[in-house]
Amino acid sequence: MKDAYERFVRPLLFSIDAEIAHRFTIESLRAASHVDLTLHALNPFQPPASPKKLFGLNFPNPIGLAAGLDKNGVALPAWAALGFGFIEIGTVTAKAQPGNSKPRIFRFPKQNALINRLGFNNEGADAIARRLRKLRRSSRWPEVPVGINIGKSMSTPLTEATEDYLYSFRLLREFADYIVLNVSSPNTPGLRELQGADALSELLSAIGEQNLISRKPILIKIAPDLAPSELDAIVSTCATNKVAGIIATNTTVDHSSIPAAQDEQGGLSGVGQQNLTARKPILIKIAPDLAPSELDAIVSTCETNKVAGIIATNTTVDHSSIPAAQDEQGGLSGAPLRGKSTALVREIAARSTIPIIASGGIMDADSAREKIEAGARLLQIYTGLIYRGPGLLREIAEALP
């Protein structure tokens, strides 16, 4: 029997414009993310634990939210409460942009498919960094890994793409457990040219160099024996010089707790700590429409640049499953993408040991299991969630080995 989502919620959502339904869903989850009682109400959707470790990260289960649903990172606590094993936000661009003109999302229920030509509509890296910083300081940051998918701003020429990606990377890396470089959306003109060996190598090399520069916060370790005026002066000086933190405290010269007969010169006990911004796993999201020679070049370039993983795949420009009279420009996702995406996962696994996250056509337990058997280590869902609802997470989790 169909669950409540497919019987009641989906018909209501599908009765209104696709983008309005998407916005309503995201705003509802955004509101829920601020209310503990509502977050707890989402917990029954959570699938059973099936821990995985990849990229040095711990995933409570292998089912992630694909980029595109929460472009601006507004509902992270709600996605975690629903039971996603990891959450990928974006695609985020260096510049805020409205995306392509509307209408730009189209449903095809008979095919269990969507076509979108959104065009990386998002608030931009600066605004999203501010939002994530605020969330990180709260008690609501999710305990599951958070990935950030970054792409090229539409107004940035391809010749300046690398610096465009670097701008977003520098701003967002501290909030991400992993970073995805989206070079495969069909909805930003020329973007897929960045999958070419030379362009991809240039981008990966630049990101790799930046990723080696671990930002080292400067901290001051102070004594516990300061007078109030001394402490005021130290705090003021630290604030002026943008010191990242204060370690309080070093050892004390107050030995009053030690019997005089046993006392020794020196500092009495002390504990310090250190913190670094770690290197981030860098992943590439690729198109499903690659020729074998193009895939060979991408895999080779990823291996040379020590890419942590490949997300296979983005949407497809192959619309052969859609009746010509109903077709729309954009990227096709959903059930028709299943075979093409699985084939690419299998081809990558045959060529390389680079870990694969499968995304594309995962609509039920069988299609999820098919991806794992083809060589995927983790999964991401998007269109499947729209058609099947959050109950899909448990269905998949219970069917996987």
Side-chain angles (χ1 to χ4, degrees):
M1 181 183 291
K2 292 182 179 180
D3 67 13
Y5 175 86
E6 292 181 76
R7 294 174 62 191
F8 304 115
V9 179
R10 190 178 75 186
L12 287 173
L13 291 174
F14 276 36
S15 69
I16 59 177
D17 173 78
E19 188 160 356
I20 293 174
H22 177 260
R23 187 164 61 248
F24 171 79
T25 302
I26 293 298
E27 289 303 321
S28 298
L29 292 172
R30 180 179 193 163
S33 293
H34 296 283
V35 182
D36 288 338
L37 189 62
T38 309
L39 291 175
H40 288 309
L42 298 176
N43 288 343
F45 290 107
Q46 293 192 0
S50 178
K52 307 292 179 186
K53 187 163 186 176
L54 195 62
F55 319 131
L57 303 173
N58 294 310
F59 299 82
N61 68 68
I63 309 162
L65 179 76
L69 273 168
D70 192 351
K71 291 176 177 291
N72 294 307
V74 300
L76 272 70
W79 298 120
L82 283 168
F84 282 96
F86 59 109
I87 304 160
E88 191 174 309
I89 67 168
T91 296
V92 182
T93 54
K95 305 169 187 174
Q97 56 185 39
N100 294 316
S101 59
K102 300 177 183 178
R104 51 192 183 179
I105 306 177
F106 307 91
R107 306 184 188 99
F108 297 88
K110 289 184 179 179
Q111 290 80 17
N112 281 334
L114 296 175
I115 288 177
N116 91 78
R117 50 172 180 258
L118 288 163
F120 291 167
N121 53 309
N122 74 105
E123 296 173 2
D126 290 274
I128 293 169
R130 287 193 295 271
R131 174 177 295 115
L132 296 179
R133 183 172 292 107
K134 183 178 180 180
L135 180 63
R136 174 66 64 79
R137 290 171 178 167
S138 75
S139 60
R140 299 184 186 279
W141 188 268
E143 295 182 0
V144 302
V146 173
I148 302 181
N149 183 305
I150 61 177
K152 185 186 77 67
S153 303
M154 197 170 293
S155 62
T156 299
L158 278 176
T159 54
E160 300 171 17
T162 294
E163 188 54 44
D164 193 79
Y165 279 89
L166 283 170
Y167 183 89
S168 298
F169 179 79
R170 293 185 189 108
L171 275 179
L172 298 168
R173 71 185 299 274
E174 65 180 288
F175 308 109
D177 292 299
Y178 68 89
I179 296 281
V180 180
L181 307 180
N182 190 341
V183 293
S184 54
S185 170
N187 299 317
T188 295
L191 186 74
R192 288 189 171 187
E193 293 180 31
L194 297 178
Q195 293 180 126
D198 291 342
L200 184 59
S201 183
E202 177 188 332
L203 176 60
L204 289 174
S205 177
I207 293 289
E209 288 178 14
Q210 188 67 38
N211 203 27
L212 285 172
I213 305 172
S214 293
R215 218 163 37 107
K216 297 181 180 178
I218 305 301
L219 289 79
I220 296 294
K221 189 170 185 177
I222 63 173
D225 312 296
L226 297 166
S229 60
E230 293 175 312
L231 180 60
D232 287 342
I234 288 173
V235 170
S236 176
T237 302
C238 287
T240 300
N241 290 278
K242 296 183 172 58
V243 167
I246 296 175
I247 299 177
T249 63
N250 213 313
T251 56
T252 180
V253 293
D254 177 4
H255 293 196
S256 57
S257 61
I258 305 299
Q262 302 174 30
D263 198 12
E264 296 286 351
Q265 185 177 0
L268 175 65
S269 70
V271 178
Q273 61 183 7
Q274 187 177 11
N275 182 31
L276 295 176
T277 300
R279 291 176 61 185
K280 304 297 180 181
I282 305 298
L283 289 77
I284 292 290
K285 187 167 186 175
I286 64 173
D289 311 298
L290 298 165
S293 60
E294 293 174 314
L295 181 61
D296 285 340
I298 287 173
V299 170
S300 176
T301 302
C302 287
E303 289 177 334
T304 300
N305 288 276
K306 296 181 172 57
V307 165
I310 295 174
I311 299 181
T313 64
N314 215 313
T315 56
T316 180
V317 294
D318 176 2
H319 293 193
S320 57
S321 61
I322 305 298
Q326 302 173 32
D327 199 12
E328 295 283 349
Q329 184 179 353
L332 175 71
S333 62
L337 182 55
R338 173 178 172 175
K340 187 182 287 281
S341 174
T342 301
L344 203 68
V345 169
R346 189 175 290 112
E347 289 171 16
I348 296 168
R351 287 166 163 81
S352 176
T353 58
I354 295 176
I356 304 163
I357 299 178
S359 178
I362 301 175
M363 309 294 290
D364 53 25
D366 286 343
S367 52
R369 189 165 47 241
E370 176 182 277
K371 294 288 194 290
I372 297 295
E373 291 172 352
R377 303 281 295 279
L378 299 172
L379 307 171
Q380 287 183 331
I381 60 174
Y382 180 132
T383 305
L385 183 65
I386 292 170
Y387 276 92
R388 300 291 314 284
L392 179 60
L393 276 75
R394 179 175 290 275
E395 177 186 324
I396 291 173
E398 292 177 345
L400 295 180

